[in-house]
Amino acid sequence: MNIQELDKELLSLFEKRIALSQMGYDHRDYDDVEEALHDLEDDFNDKYGDFLENILQEIHKEYCPDSDVLLPTAYLARSFKETSDGGIEVGADAGVEVELEENPVANARLMLLPSPTRIVLVVGKKKKIVWSAEAE
């Protein structure tokens, strides 16, 4: 697996999602950007889906065995907001909600993030990297 290529394509998905999240439905380019995003997502799942789904299955087995494993693109943030310093912050509902085995009532989410490619478990305000491509 070429991790640099994976990260580059994941970053392209994020950039396209950021662009789409900053447009209103009435924006003249909204439909074109949305269609391009769906094509990128399909290509990403075709190319990296098996690899990432295997990793996600292991993570689910360890942390949230009662939650279903979804396509890798489901774990990406769908909305973003710009911070005061010009950075990008993912929305509070980013990723996939999961039921933690050790604390089923916790508000827990798994997110797939780029640069470096990693999967983060978010429980309330706590974040834990549960897998990183750098470790591969």
Side-chain angles (χ1 to χ4, degrees):
M1 177 61 50
N2 183 336
I3 298 298
Q4 283 115 358
E5 197 63 30
L6 166 65
D7 193 56
K8 180 180 170 187
E9 292 185 37
L10 183 58
L11 193 54
S12 292
L13 273 175
F14 261 82
E15 289 168 347
K16 193 63 75 176
R17 283 192 176 192
I18 290 169
L20 188 64
S21 74
Q22 294 175 346
M23 292 179 183
Y25 292 117
D26 60 345
H27 192 281
R28 62 182 166 83
D29 295 329
Y30 186 90
D31 290 338
D32 292 337
V33 173
E34 184 179 43
E35 185 176 327
L37 173 62
H38 290 311
D39 290 344
L40 281 174
E41 289 173 336
D42 290 344
D43 292 345
F44 185 85
N45 283 327
D46 288 345
K47 191 170 184 178
Y48 302 107
D50 290 341
F51 173 73
L52 290 170
E53 283 179 37
N54 287 334
I55 292 164
L56 286 162
Q57 285 174 351
E58 291 302 314
I59 291 168
H60 274 255
K61 190 185 310 180
E62 182 174 346
Y63 295 98
C64 48
D66 293 334
S67 298
D68 293 332
V69 176
L70 306 177
L71 288 172
T73 52
Y75 295 84
L76 299 172
R78 298 229 179 266
S79 63
F80 304 86
K81 58 183 176 180
E82 193 169 347
T83 61
S84 59
D85 62 359
I88 297 290
E89 190 176 278
V90 297
D93 62 345
V96 171
E97 189 172 349
V98 294
E99 184 179 312
L100 291 179
E101 185 173 48
E102 65 184 38
N103 187 358
V105 297
N107 181 15
R109 305 188 82 73
L110 282 173
M111 280 190 287
L112 176 62
L113 299 170
S115 297
T117 299
R118 64 205 182 277
I119 299 172
V120 178
L121 175 63
V122 179
V123 183
K125 294 193 181 275
K126 295 181 183 178
K127 297 175 183 155
K128 177 182 180 181
I129 297 174
V130 292
W131 177 82
S132 175
E134 290 182 325
E136 292 292 307

